[in-house]
Amino acid sequence: MVRTASPAATPGNRAAPSPRRRPDPRPMRLAFAAGGAAALSALLALIGSAALPTTAAVPAAAPTPAGGGANDVAQVRHIVRYVILAPGQLPPTGATTTPTTVVAAPVATPAPRPRPAVVTSQSGTP
């Protein structure tokens, strides 16, 4: 029995390949939707809980005596501002300065890395 080639399968007249079967995207879309809903719910819960006032007890201030006593001490909040001066710049009047010395440590430079030799040839020649 001799087989004859069909006209659609000849080398010059190839048939179009059949399209590949793609996986169903619906399960993954549902998974992404569920994850997005969970993330949105968590964010809304976090934002909503931050907007509620806290119920932590705030300690009440001790009552002060009306006449004031000899041992009354005023509470003062000290503010310390650090200023970095440029070389040659003078500090403001009345400022306390701390002496600083800058020591430049010698840094050893690393040895240069050897570069690998790249040998190329034109394609088609040995």
Side-chain angles (χ1 to χ4, degrees):
M1 175 179 262
V2 178
R3 298 181 86 185
T4 60
S6 67
T10 59
N13 188 13
R14 291 190 177 199
S18 62
R20 291 188 179 179
R21 184 168 155 83
R22 295 175 54 186
D24 186 19
R26 279 180 278 163
M28 196 56 138
R29 286 180 185 161
L30 290 175
F32 278 128
L40 183 63
S41 173
L43 285 174
L44 290 177
L46 182 66
I47 292 171
S49 66
L52 296 176
T54 59
T55 58
V58 178
T64 57
N71 293 333
D72 285 347
V73 177
Q75 293 183 357
V76 178
R77 182 176 180 198
H78 296 280
I79 299 173
V80 178
R81 293 179 57 192
Y82 293 95
V83 178
I84 299 174
L85 300 174
Q89 188 178 9
L90 296 175
T93 56
T96 305
T97 60
T98 56
T100 58
T101 57
V102 177
V103 178
V107 177
T109 57
R113 296 173 123 184
R115 296 188 134 196
V118 178
V119 180
T120 61
S121 64
Q122 186 176 358
S123 56
T125 61

